[in-house]
């Protein structure tokens, strides 16, 4: 069982930056693929970025170049650095964990989810 708690969301102006954190419980954090998804109002949840231990990283096409995911296995934490924020980045951002040999982009393959953290970007 893994419990995930996100933090770091907030309201920012366009062009600003945020760093989201996701703290995980459990002693096998390093064995999980960790990912960030986001869901904007009226839209489907979309894959943002994912990481596996060993430096394997994958980004969704819509965020490449502005988002950076990292993980600290010693702290059981995964981070999402978001730069050059745009109003269209406004969404609830969710952290998710999966037992996987790769980084799934399909939300249905993630067994564990956090409660989400709101990011609101004003123009």
């Amino acid at each position: 069982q893994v419990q995930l708690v996100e933090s770091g969301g907030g309201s920012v102006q366009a062009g600003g930056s945020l760093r989201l954190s996701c703290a995980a419980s459990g002693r096998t954090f390093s064995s999980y693929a960790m990912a960030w998804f986001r869901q904007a109002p009226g839209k489907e949840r979309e894959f943002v970025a994912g990481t596996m231990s060993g430096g394997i990283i994958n980004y969704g096409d819509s965020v490449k170049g502005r988002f950076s995911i990292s993980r600290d296995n010693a702290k059981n934490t995964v981070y999402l650095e978001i730069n050059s924020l745009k109003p269209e980045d406004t969404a609830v951002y969710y952290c998710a964990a999966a037992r996987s040999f790769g980084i799934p982009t399909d939300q249905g393959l993630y067994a564990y989810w956090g409660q989400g953290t709101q990011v609101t970007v004003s123009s």
Side-chain angles (χ1 to χ4, degrees), residues 34-56:
M34 300 298 299
W36 288 93
F37 287 77
R38 68 182 180 182
Q39 187 165 20
K43 295 188 177 181
E44 294 186 354
R45 192 171 298 186
E46 68 168 338
F47 174 82
V48 173
T51 176
M52 294 188 66
S53 295
I56 301 171

Side-chain angles (χ1 to χ4, degrees), residues 5-121:
V5 179
E6 303 99 333
S7 61
S11 296
V12 297
Q13 289 191 329
S17 299
L18 280 176
R19 188 194 198 200
L20 308 183
S21 299
C22 173
S25 65
R27 291 176 288 181
T28 58
F29 174 79
S30 62
S31 66
Y32 283 85
M34 300 298 299
W36 288 93
F37 287 77
R38 68 182 180 182
Q39 187 165 20
K43 295 188 177 181
E44 294 186 354
R45 192 171 298 186
E46 68 168 338
F47 174 82
V48 173
T51 176
M52 294 188 66
S53 295
I56 301 171
I57 290 175
N58 188 24
Y59 292 101
D61 289 339
S62 64
V63 305
K64 286 180 179 177
R66 297 189 298 118
F67 287 38
S68 178
I69 189 171
S70 61
R71 66 190 294 162
D72 186 336
N73 287 340
K75 296 182 178 180
N76 279 16
T77 302
V78 62
Y79 305 96
L80 185 69
E81 188 87 27
I82 313 174
N83 299 307
S84 301
L85 278 157
K86 304 176 180 180
E88 51 263 42
D89 294 321
T90 295
V92 178
Y93 285 71
Y94 297 92
C95 177
R99 288 276 199 182
S100 173
F101 291 110
I103 303 174
T105 58
D106 181 350
Q107 61 174 312
L109 297 178
Y110 287 83
Y112 304 103
W113 291 84
Q115 81 288 352
T117 185
Q118 177 71 47
V119 172
T120 303
V121 185

